[in-house]
Amino acid sequence: MLDTMNVDYSTRIPNNVGLAEDRTVLRALEGWHPGYIDWWKDMGPIGFQESRVYLRTAVSVDPKGWAKFDYVKMPEYRWGVLLAPQEEGRKVNFGKHKGEPAWQDVPGEYRAMLRRLIVIQGDTEPASVEQQRHLGATAPSLYDMRNLFQVNVEEGRHLWAMVYLLHKYFGRDGRDEADELLRRRSGDADSPRMLGAFNEATPDWLSFFMFTFFTDRDGKMQLESLAQSGFDPLSRTCRFMLTEEAHHMFVGETGVGRTLQRTCEAMKAAGIEDPYAIEKIRALGVIDLPTIQKKLNLHYSLTLDLFGAEISTNSANFYNAGLKGRFQETKIDDDHELTNATYPVLKLVDGQIVKVDEPALTALNMRLRDDYSEDCARGVERWNKIIEKEGIKFRLDLPHVAFHRKIGEFRNVNVSPKGIILSDSDWAKVRDQYLPSLADGEYITSLMKPCFEPGRYASWIAAPKVGIDNKPGDFEYVQIAA
Amino acid sequence: MAGAPRKLANGKAFIDFQTEPSRYRHWKLSVQGETATLAMDVDENAGLFEGYQLKLNSYDLGVDIELADALMRLRFEHPNVKVVLLRSAKDRVFCAGANIRMLAGSEHPHKVNFCKFTNETRNAMEDASQYSGQRFVTVVNGTAAGGGYELALATDHIMMVDDGSTAVSLPEVPLLAVLPGTGGLTRVVDKRMVRRDHADVFCTIEEGIKGRRAVQWRLIDELVPPSKLEERVKATASDLATKSPRSGPAEGVKLTQLDRKFRADGIDYGFVRLDIEAAQRLATITVRVAEAASAKSAAEIVALGAAFWPLQCARELDDAILHLRNNAYEIGTVIFKTEGDPEVARAYDDLLEAHRDNWFVHEIRHYWKRVLKRIDVTSRTLVALIEPGSCFVGTLAELAFAADRSYMLLGQFQGDNRPAATIELTRANFGAYPMSHGLTRLQSRFLATPDKPAQLEAKIATALDADEAEALGLVTFALDDIDWADEVRVFLEERASFSPDAMTGLEANLRFAGPETMESKIFARLTAWQNWIFQRPNAVGEEGALARYGTGQRPTYDLRRV
Ligand SMILES: [Fe+2]
Ligand SMILES: [Fe+2]
């Protein structure tokens, strides 16, 4: 049996794309790699670059190879280029080229469109590393710190994955764009990241968990729809990235879940039943449930903006061209061309929020967002189970999609989480009930005390049920350098 | 959908070219000392027509009417403003160009006349810079696509933020299968002198060009980090102000609203009358000179302000032409007539000539120049009828020289005791009002005899009767009372029977004899290429790029090269 894997140890880059023989990409990477390492040192996690972190590294795409655990200093992490195995006879599965063989090279007429898609996806990967670089210092445990760094190095690898495509298929422009991905900086006034949510601060660990739950889930949806691409190398790249993305969402979902768990346990131990007895609950050193709801509201609404305008010509073009499909495209039972179909879109018509049927092709952002919201709702229900099990009468809910929006139909109106349109003055009065206030932020910050003793956890978060790689509870996930 | 008549928004019956800053929906004009800021902030729900939204600072004719108004006011109301900053009030968006849904749903005549007007507005910016020292600076803070970049191209200096994503682009070809309609191609190579191969690359990249390459390829003048932007804008403005020769007083002349009375078959202005005979597809514009030239000194002229005859008359004529062009597509022929005392008309021209260095007179003469240019590129048959009682003197005689033909009555009409018509030249016919290609109308008229215009200077202030005018080549035909009515009627009827498209092409080809300038090229190409491409199925057919735009479906092209 032939080993399809081709790990090129001489260049320290795990890959299954024949990197050693690919002069184009090697030449490009030679130029780009030092800049990447500099970027990681400048913009990666602060204060722990010399620490040894128990990380998984993907060295191949088969189940045995894609999660090898060991201690590693992050700058020495072996970022690789791994694509899901090529499927024999794969076709373009939607749009006007439906049924044609999937492209192994970039079709000239779609070069600019594809490059744009890849650059936008690529720009988000390093952005979150930048947003999260301060968090190590306040990690609530070594376990959480390790999870943070795992997410960070994998976002780094996702950047590599997109850069590989740019280097391999887009010539000089691709190399320029790859350089630009290292030049932009999250939140920088002069060269910000391309999308709004990736320029917001991630000030505390609850934000980090919410971000990995909500915003990495947007990443998942985008990768899912790019995994459908008729441009086969993009599809294969995204399919492999999705295996890593699952862990990021796991970090977010369990992070919030453990926070809820700890709050409920503390309330019960103190005999507090009313979840709105905020002062009393905060005195216990845990985060009250209404504040967690506010954080949820914030991150969900910021992430919805990442889906773009409800009606979008770009997404229609991407679909028709066969470059970006729908979530689980091949499992949908329709003609996969959508030239005559419609899709219901929430719109603001004469000051009312109503559903309007729009041409399905231009409503693809809306559709992906709906799929995303459903996926989020299932996760929120799992959180509610935790609260329910502890016997606390409180439910977390996703706010209305029109709530707190900066992009799309609802960007110019104030809408409550229940979907009621509010005047500016009414909104000003209730804003702090729905979104974290300054005081909420200060309270959460006050809890962000490092807890670096193996097996110990900060006051506001419960221990996980099982360790990473089945390690025991007191495992030293990060050996902090003196 | 293309070609179906579109409804004006808010129940409006016609497109009105009169506005004023307090009524602007899309622009904010503010002045601080020698610097003015024109901030584009398009109200997406205030389109001129129903059926589209003006997203991302995209524009329609309504947006451009306000811009043109603001530019007029900058010249007349703000004689001390030396630098105009053209910028966007929207975050990270400069201007997405002409609104594509507006174009896709517009009738062909609207599209072309929209482009024509926007071109005239862009030219007015260059005119202000060249002749009145009012320098324009564009601050590109985000996407400047298509018409958005063309707006920038009309300015003297283009600064762009270096934020890693802001780009300038002309995406018309890859995106819409049409050409940039506001002089973009011509200005890129003729004005900014972008190398032709670079221009070829630039004009076929939908997303455009950003960063250093935009400077290297001369597409923009400078790249500025966003955090340094305001500082650089200030420095650039003060630098340009120092170098500007403009030296008007702080107080300008207020452009008051025109007094217009709308009739079912025309418009009455103070000195201009528009009469429309729809059945004959005819319009007559009658321009009347004031009763007397009362002002003597520059101070008296400025004191009269917008009521000073040469200015009021030019504004009224301008409005009438624009009204015809954009609200009456089926009118094929425009007749120019004049009325009044030739002595008075000559006195006004002499007054303007004597005070030509006064800032206000200077602006008036340049305005007349622009109005006459607007007439030159109006795609209707233009004819001057020179009859007893008329006043084709100097500036007003330019109307006859702008016409495709002129008919002059020999002697008197039977039963009319007014003296026979004459025409008269003044200094103004010899350089004050060059056409878009740089020649005077007389120079262009007598291309075969280049000495002729100089010889004609000897005739200044001489009343020329029909025989002499015909002999000198200043009119097409001199006809007597017996022939007049029939000849004119037959001409008008014959004209009305020709293909309107053939007439547009014919007239545009014949009107501009002589060399080309960037400005004349822009209009020539608009008339020819854009007119043609905008009609082709590849753009406007059911499967063409304009119709398919926004649906996600790719256009299907007729692949034969023509
Ligand atoms: Fe990622
Ligand atoms: Fe992720």
Side-chain angles (χ1 to χ4, degrees), chain A residues 46-63:
Chain A
I46 296 177
F48 297 89
Q49 300 274 4
E50 289 305 309
S51 299
R52 285 159 41 87
V53 188
Y54 191 71
L55 294 174
R56 70 175 185 192
T57 304
V59 292
S60 86
V61 295
D62 62 42

Side-chain angles (χ1 to χ4, degrees), chain A residues 338-354:
Chain A
L338 306 182
T339 45
N340 299 311
T342 61
Y343 188 82
V345 174
L346 270 190
K347 297 186 96 172
L348 190 67
V349 179
D350 300 329
Q352 302 286 315
I353 299 172
V354 292

Side-chain angles (χ1 to χ4, degrees), chain B residues 217-455:
Chain B
W217 285 14
R218 308 178 60 95
L219 295 165
I220 61 167
D221 295 292
E222 67 174 308
L223 206 55
V224 190
S227 58
K228 300 265 158 48
L229 186 65
E230 293 314 315
E231 194 185 306
R232 270 303 299 156
V233 168
K234 254 202 183 129
T236 306
S238 83
D239 180 46
L240 287 173
T242 317
K243 292 181 190 147
S244 161
R246 191 166 169 88
S247 58
E251 188 87 349
V253 164
K254 177 106 184 80
L255 296 178
T256 50
Q257 287 296 287
L258 293 182
D259 190 12
R260 298 175 295 176
K261 283 183 194 64
F262 291 91
R263 291 178 268 112
D265 58 353
I267 307 175
D268 292 325
Y269 301 83
F271 297 108
V272 172
R273 195 174 68 238
L274 170 66
D275 294 294
I276 293 178
E277 295 163 82
Q280 283 75 45
R281 298 178 45 234
L282 264 184
T284 302
I285 292 178
T286 308
V287 182
R288 186 167 55 81
V289 74
E291 295 300 316
S294 55
K296 291 282 175 292
S297 68
E300 284 169 330
I301 293 172
V302 174
L304 282 170
F308 183 50
W309 174 79
L311 177 57
Q312 184 182 334
C313 183
R315 291 180 71 205
E316 293 173 351
L317 180 58
D318 205 16
D319 188 70
I321 290 286
L322 288 170
H323 181 82
L324 271 179
R325 262 201 206 169
N326 294 278
N327 293 310
Y329 298 136
E330 292 192 1
I331 299 303
T333 299
V334 179
I335 298 170
F336 286 116
K337 292 187 177 182
T338 53
E339 287 174 5
D341 182 349
E343 296 273 336
V344 177
R346 187 195 318 126
Y348 271 112
D349 268 12
D350 292 348
L351 194 60
L352 294 180
E353 184 69 25
H355 298 293
R356 57 191 292 179
D357 292 333
N358 170 266
W359 76 267
F360 181 49
V361 172
H362 176 84
E363 290 299 353
I364 291 173
R365 281 168 41 117
H366 280 289
Y367 181 44
W368 261 103
K369 174 192 70 184
R370 295 197 299 281
V371 174
L372 289 164
K373 283 185 186 181
R374 199 180 313 273
I375 291 170
D376 290 333
V377 297
T378 294
S379 56
R380 312 297 166 94
T381 295
L382 305 174
V383 53
L385 295 185
I386 306 165
E387 300 161 299
S390 70
C391 182
F392 284 93
V393 176
T395 298
L396 293 184
E398 289 289 316
L399 293 173
F401 304 145
D404 298 299
R405 292 190 197 180
S406 51
Y407 289 83
M408 188 164 179
L409 186 79
L410 271 166
Q412 294 170 298
F413 282 125
Q414 201 177 23
D416 178 354
N417 58 8
R418 286 180 298 177
T422 58
I423 67 172
E424 195 176 317
L425 300 172
T426 69
R427 271 276 123 229
N429 301 112
F430 297 89
Y433 311 126
M435 299 171 70
S436 62
H437 63 355
L439 301 189
T440 64
R441 283 177 192 77
L442 289 178
Q443 283 169 334
S444 185
R445 187 175 187 85
F446 298 116
L447 212 54
T449 47
D451 299 339
K452 179 95 174 236
Q455 291 160 14

Side-chain angles (χ1 to χ4, degrees), chain A residues 109 115 172 190 320 361-362, chain B residues 163 207 213 227 550 552 554:
Chain A
E109 67 175 318
R115 192 180 61 212
R172 202 178 100 175
D190 282 346
N320 190 250
L361 261 183
T362 54
Chain B
D163 60 3
E207 72 210 61
R213 188 182 276 187
S227 58
R554 305 278 292 179

Side-chain angles (χ1 to χ4, degrees), chain A residues 21 40 50 63 87 91 95 100 112 158 161 187 230 266 281 341 347 414 469:
Chain A
E21 293 82 45
W40 180 270
E50 289 305 309
E87 267 174 41
K91 299 260 192 289
E100 296 174 22
H158 290 177
I281 296 166
K347 297 186 96 172
N414 307 305
D469 197 25

Side-chain angles (χ1 to χ4, degrees), chain A residues 273-436:
Chain A
E273 284 187 1
D274 179 9
Y276 295 95
I278 288 169
E279 291 309 313
K280 277 204 247 166
I281 296 166
R282 287 188 178 181
L284 306 173
V286 296
I287 306 173
D288 54 283
L289 302 178
T291 297
I292 294 175
Q293 173 73 58
K294 289 191 220 176
K295 281 279 209 190
L296 180 161
N297 290 350
L298 176 68
H299 284 270
Y300 178 66
S301 57
L302 284 174
T303 306
L304 290 181
D305 280 345
L306 292 174
F307 288 84
E310 286 80 352
I311 300 300
S312 159
T313 301
N314 280 339
S315 63
N317 290 339
F318 292 148
Y319 185 88
N320 190 250
L323 306 181
K324 183 180 178 187
R326 290 170 291 177
F327 181 57
Q328 305 202 318
E329 179 71 44
T330 46
K331 295 188 185 140
I332 300 171
D333 180 23
D334 64 14
D335 71 355
H336 303 278
E337 293 189 49
L338 306 182
T339 45
N340 299 311
T342 61
Y343 188 82
V345 174
L346 270 190
K347 297 186 96 172
L348 190 67
V349 179
D350 300 329
Q352 302 286 315
I353 299 172
V354 292
K355 269 204 171 147
V356 180
D357 277 340
E358 291 285 343
L361 261 183
T362 54
L364 286 165
N365 283 349
M366 177 76 190
R367 178 173 182 131
L368 191 63
R369 201 186 76 191
D370 284 347
D371 291 332
Y372 167 79
S373 293
E374 262 179 49
D375 208 43
C376 288
R378 281 193 287 271
V380 172
E381 269 328 296
R382 290 190 290 272
W383 287 340
N384 281 328
K385 285 271 165 10
I386 294 171
I387 305 173
E388 212 176 284
K389 224 165 150 193
E390 295 297 326
I392 307 285
K393 291 213 165 45
F394 189 86
R395 270 186 57 81
L396 292 169
D397 284 307
L398 289 177
H400 194 279
V401 292
F403 169 77
H404 188 236
R405 298 298 304 281
K406 296 280 184 312
I407 287 177
E409 273 302 296
F410 306 109
R411 69 191 185 286
N412 292 325
V413 286
N414 307 305
V415 178
S416 79
K418 291 258 180 284
I420 313 285
I421 297 181
L422 303 173
S423 69
D424 283 357
S425 59
D426 285 348
W427 167 253
K429 274 181 245 156
V430 296
R431 187 228 170 255
D432 284 357
Q433 293 174 28
Y434 301 143
L435 289 169

